[in-house]
Amino acid sequence: MSESTPRPSSLIHTVYGEFVRRLGGWISIADLIALMAELDVDGPAVRSATSRLKKAGTLLQERRAGTGYRLAPAMEPVFEEGDRRIFHSLEPAGLADGWVVAVFSVPESERAHRHQLRSRLSWLGFGNAAPGVWLAPARLQPDARRLLKRLGLSAYVHLFLSAEYAGFADLRTAVAGWWDLPAIEAQYAAFTDAWRPVAEGLGDAGEPRAAGERREPGERRPPRPDPAEAFRAYVPMLTQWRRLPYLDPGLPAQLLPADWNAVPARAVFTELHGLLAEPSLRYVEKVTGLSRPQEHPQESS
């Protein structure tokens, strides 16, 4: 499997997060295998991946009309947090918004927790300013609190909110040392290179549209993608994208390179999400026979 090919477990994670949650939370293993076949993942790989996700506590096996899996209740807050980060991609924070600083000290006898703290803070988008000192834009503080409490790590960490940087080094230079900005840009570039041609093929020629950009009256609309084709493109695209809003903490624009390439990557994601999400969901409904809960209009008094 190449580095750019999503793992079966990552694709299944996306299928649950984007579709199964909206269709009752449970799917039969037979239907999951049928969906994953569209993504070139065979049955044994699906069964192996679901077994690992079950051992990890992500999925619970449950028999209904056949054997299947539902999302573990403890995972719902994780997916809700993911929705906020993935589908409401952070625009750059304001420099005046300040910072959240995490300071931790872990006894040597519990050094496994030290490694876990480093990896989870990095996963949230925190930068490492010094040993045991991590920081991020202040608006990531609620996510950090929820994650640290959920993982049982809050006893090791002190969180501070700071309004401004009052140090001696140039802040832009310091930030470049605290975050690996070239690595983040490389991932954005890889996403754009992989998916911009798809967006252009599905939509009008030229650059993908930015979020909220409207078509002019009479302007040609893109063809509606076939639901199965939409699903085959959307799941790998979303799987590749969903890590990026965590790698990128949304640093203030003044501290970023002038040609920060998150902007075109977000435009590609927005275009493809708008084109592919709904037909993909319809395809999952067709394959599984599951349906979205009906919304009942309120009765007039």
Side-chain angles (χ1 to χ4, degrees), residues 2 26 69 81 109 185 207 212 246:
S2 71
W26 177 92
Y69 292 88
E81 179 183 295
S109 60
E185 286 199 294
E207 297 290 330
Y246 287 92

Side-chain angles (χ1 to χ4, degrees), residues 25 97 131-132 134 139 146 190 207 211 220 224 251 285:
D97 297 341
W134 295 70
R139 62 188 176 188
R146 282 190 291 266
E207 297 290 330
R220 181 171 67 85
R224 292 181 180 274
L251 293 168
E285 289 177 311

Side-chain angles (χ1 to χ4, degrees), residues 5-297:
T5 302
R7 295 178 179 274
S9 57
S10 295
L11 295 169
I12 292 171
H13 190 283
T14 298
V15 168
Y16 268 86
E18 179 66 0
F19 306 118
V20 178
R21 287 165 66 214
R22 300 166 65 184
L23 302 175
W26 177 92
I27 186 173
S28 73
I29 188 64
D31 287 341
L32 183 59
I33 287 172
L35 289 173
M36 295 296 289
E38 293 290 336
L39 307 174
D40 298 322
V41 179
D42 61 22
V46 175
R47 293 183 184 278
S48 177
T50 53
S51 178
R52 288 195 300 272
L53 290 169
K54 178 184 173 183
K55 289 179 181 178
T58 301
L59 300 179
L60 297 177
Q61 190 171 13
E62 184 177 290
R63 187 171 183 84
R64 296 186 185 180
T67 301
Y69 292 88
R70 66 181 175 91
L71 196 65
M75 292 301 297
E76 188 59 36
V78 179
F79 278 92
E80 289 175 355
E81 179 183 295
D83 287 346
R84 289 190 294 271
R85 295 288 286 261
I86 294 164
F87 298 108
H88 305 282
S89 296
L90 298 177
E91 295 299 323
L95 197 55
D97 297 341
W99 304 88
V100 55
V101 179
V103 179
F104 65 82
S105 178
V106 180
E108 182 62 24
S109 60
E110 301 179 59
R111 57 182 178 273
H113 290 313
R114 186 185 307 145
H115 173 74
Q116 190 178 18
L117 274 166
R118 290 170 180 161
S119 63
R120 301 312 284 177
L121 288 171
S122 177
W123 180 82
L124 272 178
F126 276 64
N128 187 202
V133 181
W134 295 70
L135 79 162
R139 62 188 176 188
L140 294 188
Q141 183 257 359
D143 286 350
R145 286 186 62 87
R146 282 190 291 266
L147 180 70
L148 293 169
K149 289 180 69 175
R150 187 165 67 241
L151 296 176
L153 297 172
S154 57
Y156 302 100
V157 184
H158 298 284
L159 294 177
F160 300 89
L161 290 175
S162 172
E164 63 182 62
Y165 174 73
F168 300 98
D170 174 69
L171 181 55
R172 184 168 179 168
T173 302
V175 160
W178 297 338
W179 280 271
D180 190 347
L181 298 182
I184 297 173
E185 286 199 294
Q187 297 230 23
Y188 274 127
F191 179 87
T192 303
D193 290 346
W195 296 104
R196 174 179 275 161
V198 178
E200 292 176 345
L202 289 170
D204 298 334
E207 297 290 330
R209 296 177 186 277
E213 186 177 351
R214 298 186 178 184
R215 299 180 184 277
E216 296 297 327
E219 187 178 356
R220 181 171 67 85
R221 290 183 174 275
R224 292 181 180 274
D226 172 78
E229 292 179 358
F231 178 83
R232 286 193 290 269
Y234 185 59
V235 174
M237 185 278 295
L238 182 55
T239 301
Q240 184 175 354
W241 173 261
R242 62 183 171 86
R243 179 69 184 99
L244 286 168
Y246 287 92
L247 285 176
D248 180 2
L251 293 168
Q254 303 96 310
L255 305 179
L256 294 170
D259 56 351
W260 184 241
N261 61 4
V263 176
R266 288 192 188 111
V268 170
F269 172 75
T270 299
E271 180 85 354
L272 287 174
H273 175 65
L275 286 170
L276 301 177
E278 178 60 26
S280 296
L281 181 57
R282 292 200 308 270
Y283 180 71
V284 174
E285 289 177 311
K286 177 182 177 181
V287 169
T288 64
L290 302 172
S291 59
R292 285 164 272 191
Q294 296 294 316
E295 295 184 0
H296 299 287

